[in-house]
Amino acid sequence: MRVSMRTILGTLSLSLCLLLSESAGGAAGLASGTPGKNGMVMLIAYADVPPYYIADSKDQNNGILMDVLRAVTRPLNRTVTFRRLPDKRGWDMLEHGGVDLYASAREWVDDPDRFLWTNPLMTNEDVLVYRVGSPLIYSGAESLFGKTVACIKGFVYPALQAHFGPGAIERIDTTSPEAMLELLTLGRADAALVNHTEIRWILRTQNDLKRHRFRIDPHPVDRAFYRFLFPKGRGWKPMVGQFNRRLQTMREDGSLKAILGRYR
């Protein structure tokens, strides 16, 4: 997928005003939450967009990633602080200190064995969106030959990457899912390649987009699995086991499904 639909980007200010706390009592997370403390610091990257990450006007951090993490850690007596950071700085701090965990997919990370990974918390899919009257149905890359597909600039889409170019799939880049939908509406693209969870959230919450004008293909172009990841060498391995047990409990009691369902 991302290296495709979710490789992370942005620019950092080291000012403490960018430190987003879960609560007033979360100040313990200002340092590098370590296993010896009750606090842990989660990296939120600038590409973690709604509904994965939602910051409201009161600087409250919500969204799928935050809600699942809170539900996992609450019985473990861990307090969580969130830091929104750009890609390069965030990954550096994850490996060397300053933040303690992140949520991503192994498929999107170079050399994923550098990190400790939990079991999956949710499936992440790339899907195609069409104008409602389009006859297109995705059945493999060849079904898009001769078509123009709107993509996010800078993103890599492994399932289709080798097929972008003359005589195959014409790629047109833009900066957001909303801009991709505009290209569809104007007839400048035949399809838009989007994150399934994100596009459903956008069509649900942005009424001006008139969701009835669009159709989501039921066949995913690509699929990956979101997991929490921790740095190696900083004592987090026992915590990975605790996370896995909590995620299993949440699957069995329906609480994980309930959290994901709030954002669909």
Side-chain angles (χ1 to χ4, degrees), residues 196-208:
H196 199 182
T197 299
E198 182 182 359
I199 198 65
R200 285 192 300 186
W201 177 259
I202 288 171
L203 293 175
R204 171 184 158 188
T205 58
Q206 299 186 32
N207 293 329
D208 58 309

Side-chain angles (χ1 to χ4, degrees), residues 181-236:
L181 295 179
E182 182 67 15
L183 290 176
L184 279 179
T185 300
L186 296 173
R188 294 182 55 197
D190 300 298
L193 185 52
V194 295
N195 176 277
H196 199 182
T197 299
E198 182 182 359
I199 198 65
R200 285 192 300 186
W201 177 259
I202 288 171
L203 293 175
R204 171 184 158 188
T205 58
Q206 299 186 32
N207 293 329
D208 58 309
L209 291 176
K210 300 178 181 176
R211 63 183 299 170
H212 65 275
R213 298 184 301 178
F214 305 104
R215 175 174 63 85
I216 299 175
D217 197 304
H219 308 291
V221 173
D222 209 348
R223 180 182 285 118
F225 299 93
Y226 257 112
R227 307 166 188 261
F228 293 111
L229 63 128
F230 293 83
K232 287 185 174 180
R234 282 167 48 199
W236 288 111

Side-chain angles (χ1 to χ4, degrees), residues 81 178 231:
T81 298
E178 291 87 348

Side-chain angles (χ1 to χ4, degrees), residues 4 6 23 42 44 81 85 87 105 192 244 252:
S4 84
R6 271 336 184 213
S23 67
M42 181 176 180
I44 302 298
T81 298
L85 301 168
D87 183 24
N244 286 339
E252 293 171 354

Side-chain angles (χ1 to χ4, degrees), residues 40 69 72-73 76 78 101 118-119 228 230 236 238-251:
M40 58 173 58
L69 182 61
V72 168
T73 57
L76 304 179
R78 289 275 176 171
L101 74 156
T118 69
N119 294 335
F228 293 111
F230 293 83
W236 288 111
M239 184 61 62
V240 172
Q242 293 182 52
F243 267 51
N244 286 339
R245 288 188 288 274
R246 279 291 300 141
L247 287 168
Q248 183 61 32
T249 297
M250 291 169 63
R251 287 188 195 92

Side-chain angles (χ1 to χ4, degrees), residues 18-106:
L18 286 182
L19 185 62
L20 304 174
S21 284
E22 157 120 322
S23 67
L30 289 172
S32 157
T34 62
K37 302 177 181 179
N38 286 333
M40 58 173 58
V41 184
M42 181 176 180
L43 166 64
I44 302 298
Y46 284 118
D48 291 323
V49 294
Y52 297 97
Y53 170 77
I54 303 170
D56 64 20
S57 59
K58 298 179 181 179
D59 283 339
Q60 296 297 310
N61 299 288
N62 297 295
I64 294 173
L65 304 180
M66 287 74 180
D67 290 358
V68 173
L69 182 61
R70 289 185 182 110
V72 168
T73 57
R74 192 175 297 118
L76 304 179
N77 295 316
R78 289 275 176 171
T79 58
V80 181
T81 298
F82 303 103
R83 293 195 66 176
R84 194 165 198 192
L85 301 168
D87 183 24
K88 185 175 180 180
R89 173 73 64 168
W91 285 100
D92 183 70
M93 292 175 69
L94 182 62
E95 286 199 78
H96 301 109
V99 295
D100 304 308
L101 74 156
Y102 184 49
S104 186
R106 289 183 59 92

Side-chain angles (χ1 to χ4, degrees), residues 135-170:
L136 287 175
I137 292 290
Y138 182 73
S139 59
E142 293 80 4
S143 63
L144 296 173
F145 282 11
K147 306 300 180 183
T148 300
V149 176
C151 302
I152 296 294
K153 184 177 181 179
F155 282 179
V156 177
Y157 305 89
L160 298 182
Q161 201 67 27
H163 304 285
F164 290 133
I169 304 170
E170 181 180 353

